[in-house]
Amino acid sequence: LGIETSGDVAGVAVAGEGGVLVEHAVRAPRAHSRLLLDLVARAVEAAGLSGTQLAGLAVSAGPGSFTGLRIGFAAARTLAQVWGLPLAAVPTLEVLAHPLVAAGTRTCALIAARRGEVYAALYGPGVDGPVCLAGPAALPVERLPEFLAGAGGPVVLVGDAAAAAGENTAVPVARAPTALNYPRPAVVAELGLLRLKGAAPPDPLLVQPLYVGAPRVREGGQHGL
């Protein structure tokens, strides 16, 4: 089971070795706490499973909305304990990059942050999913061309801040289709499967969000990382 709550989209998916069984996602800022457990119940039921029949859980780890991540981790830890399942945390920037990197494309994932900053990470293809080449980092938009120069060649931009890079970059850039600009819970589940195949997973209560910069309160009371 993959859980995504790092941004405006709340989503849940069930995926296995054969691919995605079910995926539900709703763009509903500030409603994650109300929607998430219902999405989980619907997804598990639609997959024809009970919670205890799952092999594990995966949660999108951030960076992203402080409040969204807190909700996602609280739900994932609780479900992992109740169902007796291992829990994997998957970096949100890696979730964004995975569908493109899997095709052999060097990819920069970009998420809008606070006060003119973006969260950025550069990925290349690897045997078991994306390999992080640079970042994750919180950068002023003005430093994006310098960060992208580290790609050393053409790069695809993905994420809700992909447009922030502009056109004046040191390397050729292309932008992913807008449909790929939010992290999909199905990808969280897929990458979680890969992580849980490795070493013994930690206690779910020890699995932590990926903080890139300290939490702050934006204007209007909205939290960000």
Side-chain angles (χ1 to χ4, degrees):
L1 179 77
I3 293 174
E4 167 56 53
T5 58
S6 67
D8 288 348
V9 175
V12 174
V14 178
E17 298 290 349
V20 180
L21 298 178
V22 61
E23 183 175 33
H24 296 311
V26 182
R27 188 179 184 92
R30 302 181 182 87
H32 292 2
S33 60
R34 177 172 56 85
L35 295 173
L36 183 58
L37 291 181
D38 180 59
L39 290 173
V40 170
R42 287 168 51 199
V44 173
E45 180 181 6
L49 301 169
S50 67
T52 56
Q53 290 177 304
L54 295 166
L57 296 168
V59 60
S60 184
S65 159
F66 175 69
T67 300
L69 291 172
R70 184 177 61 188
I71 292 167
F73 268 78
R77 288 168 178 157
T78 300
L79 293 171
Q81 289 183 295
V82 170
W83 291 336
L85 301 176
L87 174 63
V90 183
T92 305
L93 291 164
E94 182 178 336
V95 174
L96 282 167
H98 180 61
L100 296 162
V101 168
T105 303
R106 191 161 291 197
T107 301
C108 183
L110 298 166
I111 295 175
R114 61 184 184 273
R115 300 176 184 176
E117 292 185 330
V118 295
Y119 301 120
L122 180 65
Y123 293 92
V127 175
D128 293 318
V131 174
C132 190
L133 305 176
L139 302 170
V141 171
E142 295 77 13
R143 287 190 56 198
L144 268 179
E146 173 189 347
F147 185 82
L148 293 172
V155 61
V156 175
L157 309 181
V158 66
D160 65 3
E167 304 299 332
N168 186 25
T169 57
V171 296
V173 299
R175 288 175 175 79
T178 56
L180 299 181
N181 280 342
Y182 77 90
R184 285 187 56 190
V187 178
V188 177
E190 182 177 344
L191 291 174
L193 276 173
L194 294 173
R195 277 167 167 74
L196 293 175
K197 284 181 179 178
D203 183 328
L205 293 179
L206 300 179
V207 177
Q208 297 294 324
L210 175 61
Y211 294 147
V212 180
R216 297 183 183 178
V217 178
R218 299 181 185 176
E219 293 180 4
Q222 185 179 0
H223 288 79
L225 288 176

